[in-house]
Amino acid sequence: MRISSLLEGTAGWNKNLVLDGVPILRKQRFSEFLIRYPRVAPIAAFILAILATLFVAMSVERANRVERRIAVTEQVNALGQDLERRAAAMQAYLISGAALFGSGIEVDQATFDRFAATLQSDKDYQGILALGWSQRVPGERLRSFERAAVAEGMPGYHVWPSPAATQASIYSIKYIAPLIPSSTRLLGFNLHSEPNQGAAIDRAILTGKPAITGLVRLIRFGNEPVRYGFLMFAPVFADHYEQTGDRAVKGFIFGTMRGEDFIMASVNHLAASQLDLEIYDEAETSSRLLFHRGSPIANGQAVTSRITIADRQWIVKSTTLPGNVLSQTGMLILLAGLIIASLLLYIVRLAIRQALFDRQQLLVREEQDGIRAILTRELNHRVKNTLANVLSILSLSRRNATDLDSFAETFDGRVRALSATHNLLMHSNWGPTSVVQVIQTEMAPYFETDPLRIALEGPDAVVAPNDALSLGLLIHELVTNAAKFGALSNATGTVSLTWTTSNEHQLLFNWREDGGPPPPTKRERGFGSDLIEKVISRELHSDIKLDFAPTGLRVSFAVPIRQVGAFALRRDI
């Protein structure tokens, strides 16, 4: 029976009834859905939980990516601003030094050392290798300039590399600080001889503002390691300076900076050492790479910031995690979602089992109610049949009785026969009953007294309960009559009962009495004959033939055979 048929009976219920906080009809609909789709429901619940988990994880990851990008952008911008600030501070310091040399005050090495010492003590100038003064020397005054430098206490001073004959102005390093062995070897170096530095000097002269070189390889001596950096130049002009030429340029105060140290000072200052960084000079090419730290993240999102260092543009670049990389938070969310989805799958499966169990209980209860109703009708039917038989026996016994004792004896014996067959049927649970057992039950008292005078022969078979009652009553009447008036009423008579199977659905019985008193020629019709011909014949649906032969009574009748099969209660009562 479908569960929907059970739900149809709830139309008259109060739809507001609640069980465990949930309306009953809603619980029934949910149970019906689980039963109708026992495989789809848990899979659907699992998929929905996974989809919800993915949605939450993707939302969290999207927020994390935005947060990481904002954090990296802030760090990159902060780094760029710090580099600009430090470069601007360096630029301002060089301009102040230029003012010193442009003021007309006589500056010697000692004065320059005091000026440089104040700069080197400032933490903003980390990465500064040296400060220097490069004086402009016209080509025709080169030798006299060298002699004057030697006279000032610079033995062996000379300009190097030798300028080209066409070079009108030479920019030779005259002072440098700190004045240590590695830096003193730079005295006399012609800064305009190197193209990168020469271009920066020309821009500074043209704009009148500090200029910075691109990345240059710093000069090394002997086995010193190769170092790269850049130089910043601040021009110093004479009082009669005109923008149209370089005749008024007195020289340049410059700072030499080691690139990695200068940039790392800002990186460490901002605690940005965890960033993967690339800093380029004006263009993102390998030849313009000033600084590199870490490895760019494959498929990551680039964050760039353009900053101005003196007169050049630097590009600060970093990358964030790509969108297809899960963070630890995302992985934890996915793991938790998978666990929750698995638990939900298990819970739904338990709910399906419970729903199936509840439905089975409903079906069992309905079947039990149906069986109880059928058993009640069956009992009512059988009680009515039994009472009808008792009433028939009572009526016929009273009609043929001559006195109260004979009535009581006759009625008692027949009711006992009916009771004995009932007991036999009770042992067989009111199912198909053995023919042999019915016959032996009714004839047991006579077997016990004289078994040799009774012969029984025939195959065993089973008959219906009602047919067993009728057969038992019939055998009781025949054997009782034989004991009173027939073959068993004397000491020599015999009784023979044989039966054969005529077909698959019927047993043919023959009752034969021999050696007893001959039946009277004229006899009154008694209760036994009426019971046999009117009652038992009708119950067995068979004609019962009685032959009162001179040698003894002959009786033939048929009893239907019951086919043994699965138990089923009658529903047509």
Side-chain angles (χ1 to χ4, degrees), residues 445-563:
Y446 305 97
F447 273 118
E448 294 175 359
T449 57
D450 200 350
L452 298 178
R453 298 175 64 190
I454 300 174
L456 302 175
E457 182 179 357
D460 197 4
V462 292
V463 295
N466 290 339
D467 295 337
L469 287 172
S470 300
L471 177 61
L473 191 57
L474 175 58
I475 298 300
H476 172 76
E477 288 300 323
L478 292 176
V479 74
T480 302
N481 183 73
K484 288 184 177 182
F485 311 108
L488 298 181
S489 63
N490 59 20
T492 59
T494 60
V495 174
S496 171
L497 177 61
T498 61
W499 63 93
T500 59
T501 304
S502 63
N503 51 51
E504 295 181 356
H505 305 291
Q506 198 173 47
L507 288 174
L508 297 180
F509 286 83
N510 287 291
W511 176 277
R512 181 185 179 91
E513 296 182 20
D514 294 293
T521 304
K522 293 182 179 182
R523 58 183 180 84
E524 295 181 0
R525 188 174 183 84
F527 166 74
S529 299
D530 290 338
L531 181 63
I532 290 172
E533 292 180 350
K534 293 180 180 180
V535 179
I536 298 177
S537 176
R538 185 179 68 250
E539 291 292 331
L540 293 176
H541 304 287
S542 172
D543 292 334
I544 300 176
K545 296 179 181 180
L546 300 175
D547 182 12
F548 294 92
T551 58
L553 177 64
R554 308 288 189 267
V555 182
S556 62
F557 58 93
V559 177
I561 298 176
R562 175 71 174 269
Q563 298 295 324

Side-chain angles (χ1 to χ4, degrees), residues 2 45 72 123 146 148 234 237 324-325 348 385 439 497 535 562:
R2 297 181 306 171
V72 172
K123 65 179 180 179
E146 290 177 340
F237 298 100
N324 58 351
V325 177
V348 173
N385 286 346
I439 296 172
L497 177 61
V535 179
R562 175 71 174 269

